[in-house]
Amino acid sequence: MQILIALILGAVIGIAAHFQVHHRETRGAAVIPMLGTVSAGIAWLALTWAGIGIDSPWPWLSAVIVPAAVCWPAALALTKIRLARDAREKTALGIG
């Protein structure tokens, strides 16, 4: 059941990343929070399967560090890709 705490931590970190990176209107509102949730869950699952118990700090640290290391770069990359694509579409359509 402690994996639920890890999933919630991942979602909260994903929400924070979504709102801290500029141009959030270019990304879906749930993309980065879901990415944080999934990355925290995978990190927790991998460490649990490796035999590291919840009495160790590693699953808890991974539930915070992994989503942070995944969400902010992903949000920045998605924003950059979307803005570049929108600019190409505008020039192709002759808008602005």
Side-chain angles (χ1 to χ4, degrees):
M1 294 306 287
Q2 287 82 7
I3 193 169
L4 291 175
I5 298 170
L7 295 173
I8 292 169
L9 283 172
V12 168
I13 291 169
I15 290 168
H18 174 70
F19 282 106
Q20 285 184 349
V21 176
H22 296 293
H23 301 290
R24 63 179 170 261
E25 68 276 358
T26 62
R27 298 182 304 272
V31 172
I32 302 301
M34 284 302 298
L35 184 62
T37 303
V38 169
S39 64
I42 289 173
W44 184 277
L45 182 70
L47 289 175
T48 303
W49 282 358
I52 300 173
I54 61 168
D55 54 339
S56 171
W58 294 113
W60 300 104
L61 288 173
S62 71
V64 174
I65 293 171
V66 171
V70 169
C71 289
W72 268 277
L76 291 170
L78 286 174
T79 301
K80 184 178 177 182
I81 291 168
R82 175 68 187 266
L83 290 174
R85 184 180 178 277
D86 287 351
R88 280 194 317 268
E89 286 294 319
K90 281 184 180 180
T91 58
L93 294 172
I95 302 171

